Amino acid sequence: MKTIFAVAILASFFCLDAKSNAQPNIPTCPSNNGAYYLQGTQWIPMDSVHAVGFKTTNVAGAAFSYGAAKAKMKAQFRDARSPYQLKGDTLAICLVGVTDSGRDITVAKFQEEKDRRELPMASYRLWTGVNAQLDPKVVVSIDVEKKAEKVYLVTGKESLHDGEFVLFTIVPDVAAMVKANTTTSLGGYDFGVHSK
């Protein structure tokens, strides 16, 4: 009997410990289509944002180094900060009817400039060609949970550090665009976290 009692106490201790590490209760996602970020207990609607252009850097360096140095292509987004600023460092975004799959959702951290935000999208070397991918250093670890048909809850695996971020529902094939010399519209949902 003492053994059963001790096991019961031990089991309740582990259950309490698991609950204390769990994420706080997140309200149910809104029913209307759109993207929403959680501010306190309220879902705040977000408008999408699109890159205003692309710039290539280190072209001369790549040319004069006979292909050893890389030229880089960056997507540029207007404004130094998003109008959607989180009041804490916890990420929770609901996507309702915005995407058909949660497997393509990515969150990345911008490089911040005085009047814009930039995101490296590709690099190019003369001898190796185009390498199109988001730098793993700027990708934020997230969990994506399917709540209903075309309803996804995106949460951060860790607390966010100060900065500006963008959530993509799909990242375009930049390498194919460069080879085909076509224009693109790179869009997502931007937000920021600033403790000061």
Side-chain angles (χ1 to χ4, degrees), residues 70-73 120-125 128-133 174:
K70 288 190 281 189
K72 295 181 181 178
M73 186 174 84
M121 297 298 299
S123 61
Y124 176 80
R125 277 196 172 117
T128 57
V130 177
N131 177 19
Q133 67 174 3
V174 178

Side-chain angles (χ1 to χ4, degrees), residues 23 93 105 140-145 153-158:
Q23 202 169 32
I93 293 179
I105 296 171
V140 176
S141 295
I142 58 171
D143 284 318
V144 178
E145 183 181 351
L153 174 63
V154 180
T155 54
K157 288 187 177 181
E158 301 171 355

Side-chain angles (χ1 to χ4, degrees), residues 26-39 41-46 92-98 147-154:
I26 294 177
T28 304
C29 288
S31 55
N32 292 337
N33 285 356
Y36 304 83
Y37 72 100
L38 188 62
Q39 197 75 287
T41 58
Q42 299 289 322
W43 288 112
I44 310 298
M46 307 168 75
I93 293 179
C94 266
L95 301 173
V96 183
V98 171
K147 292 295 195 178
E149 190 63 30
K150 294 188 179 183
V151 178
Y152 296 93
L153 174 63
V154 180

Side-chain angles (χ1 to χ4, degrees), residues 73 122-132 173-184:
M73 186 174 84
S123 61
Y124 176 80
R125 277 196 172 117
L126 183 62
W127 305 115
T128 57
V130 177
N131 177 19
D173 185 351
V174 178
M177 293 182 322
V178 170
K179 287 178 183 174
N181 197 23
T182 59
T183 58
T184 183

